[in-house]
Amino acid sequence: MDEERQSNVRQTGPRVAYPTFRIWVMMTPMPRRSSGRAKGRPSKGRRVVIFPRLPLAAEGALRDLVARRGLTLSEIGAELFAEGLRNLSELPAPLPMRYSPAESEDMTVRIPEAEGAKLRALAKQLDRSLAIVSGALIEIGLRHAGELPGQIPVQYMTTQEQLLTTKAS
């Protein structure tokens, strides 16, 4: 039995004597952060996730805007949602009860909690789903997309503009 145990034990070579100094001692020390946490992009604050439903035409315009601005779909969606809240008077009176999957597209947008509370109150007041109301607000924001802060002049043609120029020639 004792011989069996010895044969199962892995044989290792002699221990290597490493130098007692460490390379990092020779390097200049990096400054320590006071909070102990890694620094990165500052927090945008607490956010809620919404899932707006947009008609396909509005979704196409939104994707063109995303391509021009170079931001994510969620970031542009949040900006347009906020712009829609600022122009709430343009909200169409009869919002649809729902969209069929064939005529609409879902997306994910992260908005500040305060705007999420306004959305819930507005959806309750209009007796519509959060997805329909948030999609309508993003559509309003699309109409005012030229007024968004941080606009960069368009240097390249959008896909729709390219199609128009190729069809015209």
Side-chain angles (χ1 to χ4, degrees):
M1 174 100 173
D2 194 32
E3 291 174 18
E4 242 178 70
R5 189 182 317 162
Q6 286 180 352
S7 67
N8 289 338
V9 175
R10 197 173 103 189
Q11 296 292 324
T12 59
R15 286 196 121 173
V16 178
Y18 290 103
T20 56
F21 69 92
R22 294 186 180 118
I23 294 174
W24 61 267
V25 172
M26 294 185 284
M27 294 171 43
T28 58
M30 293 181 68
R32 299 217 46 121
R33 294 185 177 101
S34 60
S35 66
R37 292 178 47 172
K39 289 209 177 207
R41 183 175 72 184
S43 172
K44 293 181 180 179
R46 295 184 56 91
R47 302 276 170 164
V48 266
V49 177
I50 59 172
F51 303 99
R53 291 190 70 83
L54 290 171
L56 292 177
E59 193 263 340
L62 179 64
R63 292 214 184 266
D64 282 344
L65 183 61
V66 166
R68 283 192 309 229
R69 296 278 307 269
L71 297 172
T72 65
L73 192 63
S74 181
E75 290 170 329
I76 294 290
E79 286 182 19
L80 294 175
F81 179 84
E83 188 66 30
L85 279 177
R86 284 190 285 277
N87 296 296
L88 201 55
S89 61
E90 296 179 27
L91 193 65
L95 284 177
M97 289 298 284
R98 62 184 156 156
Y99 288 117
S100 74
E103 63 186 21
S104 65
E105 184 71 30
D106 288 333
M107 60 184 286
T108 304
V109 178
R110 296 183 64 208
I111 60 172
E113 279 186 338
E115 290 179 1
K118 290 177 185 176
L119 171 64
R120 283 190 299 278
L122 183 61
K124 187 175 182 179
Q125 175 188 353
L126 297 173
D127 193 29
R128 294 294 186 263
S129 70
L130 294 174
I132 297 294
V133 175
S134 59
L137 290 173
I138 289 174
E139 282 187 84
I140 293 170
L142 274 169
R143 285 186 236 140
H144 296 274
E147 303 166 14
L148 291 175
Q151 290 284 336
I152 299 172
V154 178
Q155 300 173 3
Y156 305 103
M157 292 191 301
T158 64
T159 54
Q160 291 176 347
E161 290 169 342
Q162 288 172 350
L163 290 173
L164 289 175
T165 56
T166 56
K167 286 182 182 177
S169 28

